[in-house]
Amino acid sequence: MLDHPHAPPASPSLDERALAKALSGHHFIGGRFVAAHGRRSFAVHNPATGEEIARAAEGDAHDVATAVENAAHAQVSWARTPARKRGALVAQCAALLTEHAEELARLIALETGKALRTESRVEAGVVADILSFFGGLGSELKGESVPFAPDVLAVTVREPLGVVGAIIPWNVPMLLMALKIAPALVAGNTVVVKSAEEAPLAVLRVCELMNRILPPGCFNMLSGFGPECGAPLVEHPKVRKLTFTGSVEVGRIVARAAAEKLIPVTLELGGKSPMIVFADCDFEKTVMGAITSMRFTRQGQSCTAASRIYVERGLFERFVDALAAKVDAMVMGDPLDEKTDIGAIISPGQFEKVEGFIAEGLATPGAAARVCSAMPKDPALKKGLFLRPHIFTGLPRESRLVREEIFGPVTCVFPFDDAEAVLAEANDSEYGLAASLWTNNLKRGLDLAHRLEAGLVQINQNLVVQANLSYGGVKSSGLGKEASLEAMLEHFTHKKTIMVNYG
Ligand code: NAI
Ligand code: MG
């Protein structure tokens, strides 16, 4: 049935290495596996060992054109499928992905180095939840009736935009993809996704599984590099909406392509998210909150990572000691081992980038770092990209570590004396994605929450993306929102006005 030499297993497979090999070398276009036009492929590595685990199809403009043509063809009948039926099919996909959740979790752990217990299983679960949430929203694609004149009925209707081009990163690839494809599909669009070159496998499996339920051509997947495969996708004239998660630099390229074509674009970019801790916080909860906020279990590879932590001076030393002790107790090791808390960094390039920041921090006069969590001892992991978490103190505010997104297990902690001063410091950033405040003084917390320049502010918690809570940044952190009903309506449909004169 499939144009594939070693078809991946039909039922859930817990042999992640065999599954990675079986997924090798293909895009998924028009309901089937398709080899790259140039038959070229590139290596996918396990970051915990350095070994090659699969080859991914290396897409080019020709592959992009084939995928977009398939998506454009499928979109005509998909848009005419009743909205609730579209939603029901997406909800069925959620059920199928739930059956495959453990398989997907193991595969994503293998290709990204994210620990199975603390990260990869969580991601697989949230993906199914996002699909099931949007699956229920088909009948919410409502328009309005507008009072205009006697004998004139004026209404607005929500229509899909057409083919959506989605470009995703490697840090939480399945989840970030789900935030794009689920609302796009339920709203009657079809999608072409370009996966991240570091993590093309689990998203390809998700695509194949969902294509068992969706009509062919509604959801297509390409793998390849940014300039060769991503750029032709964003520039393709039949792609009528762009949605991107990744770096600010590439976000600007995508936004420029959207401007050239005059089409809408959603961007989820980087962050330098502040965490503000007042002395009246619940201490234990806040220390644990710093660990989850900083996403140490994801090696800090998160756009919402609390990479600037401001602690009221009276609590500063105690807080840094407690945080360092807790991070130190975390187990770094084989991502597929149930005991592991912290896995490996995604790629040698990212590893070097983070090491560069660390070296610069350590060389800064007055700065010091607590270096936590022991390196793994298993000889099988000796080529793995393991990097010990660093908690810096004493860095000057103008340091690159304080201003730029590191996207690694590195945070900077500062003491503060005054709420107004710390607010100004928190807002003194190019970014504005997320922030958290830790205090039992709700009056002060709410006041600051309103004045922080961020798309998402949480008080006394720092949860990851949740279905139906709009998610997205301000300033250089992005444009538009994801995850909610409003996000689907505003970013994946346009409103058409229809008037009937029956006088
Ligand atoms: P990136 O922005 O280069 O890659 C993200 C996606 O964009 C990938 O699929 C890539 O192939 C694609 N891409 C790259 N160049 C393109 C182009 N010219 N046209 C179209 N698509 C293109 O991010 P990268 O290199 O993986 O990471 C660099 C930094 O970006 C990280 O260190 C981190 O600071 C930030 N980042 C932020 C993320 C977030 O969640 N907001 C996710 C990943 C990275
Ligand atoms: Mg890049």
Side-chain angles (χ1 to χ4, degrees):
M1 186 182 74
L2 300 169
D3 170 27
H4 197 284
H6 342 270
S11 47
S13 159
L14 298 185
D15 183 348
E16 62 282 343
R17 282 162 198 280
L19 184 56
K21 284 210 169 64
L23 288 163
S24 277
H26 289 78
H27 305 305
F28 203 95
I29 301 175
R32 59 195 192 96
F33 284 107
V34 180
H37 157 247
R39 301 252 152 205
R40 295 193 349 162
S41 67
F42 60 93
V44 184
H45 294 102
N46 173 357
T49 60
E51 77 195 291
E52 181 175 320
I53 49 166
R55 307 229 20 120
E58 191 176 327
D60 61 12
H62 190 280
D63 297 318
V64 167
T66 310
V68 174
E69 287 301 337
N70 270 273
H73 179 74
Q75 205 263 329
V76 178
S77 49
W78 182 242
R80 294 187 61 80
T81 305
R84 283 190 65 171
K85 171 85 191 262
R86 293 194 302 255
L89 292 173
V90 170
Q92 272 182 44
C93 292
L96 181 60
L97 295 187
T98 302
E99 282 171 34
H100 286 257
E102 185 66 11
E103 166 198 281
L104 292 168
R106 296 189 72 86
L107 187 58
I108 201 91
L110 179 71
E111 70 177 328
T112 65
K114 292 193 299 180
L116 182 63
R117 178 175 51 79
T118 55
E119 285 291 332
S120 296
R121 258 189 212 124
V122 181
E123 179 176 359
V126 176
V127 169
D129 184 53
I130 301 264
L131 292 190
S132 97
F133 165 73
F134 280 108
L137 295 184
S139 57
E140 292 301 317
L141 292 152
K142 293 182 282 200
E144 298 125 348
S145 77
V146 185
F148 182 73
D151 300 337
V152 175
L153 174 69
V155 294
T156 61
V157 292
R158 295 266 177 194
E159 291 194 346
L161 299 169
V163 177
V164 172
I167 297 197
I168 56 171
W170 44 262
N171 58 332
V172 216
M174 294 192 293
L175 191 164
L176 298 174
M177 178 174 78
L179 294 179
K180 302 180 187 314
I181 59 170
L185 289 167
V186 173
N189 307 279
T190 54
V191 213
V192 178
V193 175
K194 206 289 283 172
S195 56
E197 41 275 57
E198 298 84 354
L201 302 175
V203 289
L204 182 59
R205 179 64 160 169
V206 169
C207 179
E208 181 223 337
L209 292 171
M210 289 180 64
N211 268 275
R212 295 181 192 175
I213 291 164
L214 299 171
C218 288
F219 176 13
N220 309 277
M221 168 85 49
L222 299 167
S223 49
F225 297 102
E228 293 78 14
C229 187
L233 177 62
V234 300
E235 287 161 13
H236 195 290
K238 286 193 182 164
V239 171
R240 304 309 301 159
K241 156 82 194 186
L242 296 173
T243 170
F244 170 79
T245 302
S247 64
V248 176
E249 180 196 355
V250 178
R252 289 203 172 97
I253 295 175
V254 174
R256 273 197 289 272
E260 202 54 52
K261 296 200 292 182
L262 295 174
I263 62 167
V265 58
T266 307
L267 303 171
E268 299 292 345
L269 309 176
K272 194 74 194 173
S273 301
M275 167 173 183
I276 303 177
V277 177
F278 286 93
D280 66 1
C281 70
D282 178 336
F283 185 75
E284 287 301 321
K285 182 178 169 184
T286 307
V287 173
M288 284 314 294
I291 288 172
T292 43
S293 299
M294 193 30 228
R295 314 277 186 258
F296 278 117
T297 53
R298 202 188 296 156
Q299 299 76 256
Q301 300 169 140
S302 164
C303 44
T304 54
S307 47
R308 298 183 289 152
I309 305 181
Y310 301 96
V311 184
E312 201 165 355
R313 193 172 299 276
L315 200 63
F316 180 74
E317 298 292 338
R318 193 176 149 221
F319 184 88
V320 174
D321 287 346
L323 177 61
K326 283 238 159 41
V327 180
D328 203 41
M330 293 170 82
V331 177
M332 185 156 57
D334 179 358
L336 286 155
D337 187 333
E338 297 285 345
K339 289 195 289 296
T340 298
D341 298 306
I342 300 176
I345 303 286
I346 186 76
S347 66
Q350 195 65 25
F351 189 87
E352 277 167 31
K353 177 185 157 185
V354 182
E355 268 192 326
F357 276 107
I358 292 173
E360 201 169 309
L362 294 174
T364 305
R370 309 286 184 100
V371 187
C372 308
S373 187
M375 288 294 277
K377 294 196 175 55
D378 183 350
L381 305 177
K382 71 175 188 300
K383 290 194 182 143
L385 301 170
F386 294 95
L387 195 51
R388 298 178 70 196
H390 282 59
I391 301 169
F392 274 95
T393 53
L395 282 166
R397 304 315 198 235
E398 63 278 9
S399 163
R400 223 162 55 86
L401 281 83
V402 184
R403 308 213 67 87
E404 295 181 19
E405 183 174 53
I406 299 175
F407 228 67
V410 180
T411 192
C412 319
V413 195
F414 307 92
F416 74 87
D417 299 295
D418 173 67
E420 289 304 317
V422 80
L423 175 72
E425 213 165 304
N427 284 341
D428 177 20
S429 171
E430 175 199 353
Y431 295 107
L433 190 55
S436 69
L437 290 155
W438 302 76
T439 176
N440 279 315
N441 181 341
L442 207 52
K443 179 173 157 50
R444 179 166 62 192
L446 280 171
D447 172 49
L448 294 179
H450 285 290
R451 293 195 289 145
L452 273 164
E453 294 166 3
L456 170 66
V457 182
Q458 300 184 60
I459 302 179
N460 296 332
Q461 65 169 28
N462 203 342
L463 308 177
V464 295
V465 175
Q466 305 286 312
N468 213 20
L469 287 163
S470 280
Y471 173 72
V474 297
K475 296 155 91 177
S476 295
S477 290
L479 280 179
K481 299 286 172 186
E482 293 194 312
S484 59
L485 170 63
E486 294 73 26
M488 175 175 82
L489 297 177
E490 286 166 25
H491 300 310
F492 290 105
T493 73
H494 73 94
K495 250 190 204 177
K496 175 186 278 178
T497 301
I498 299 179
M499 298 169 84
V500 186
N501 186 323
Y502 57 89

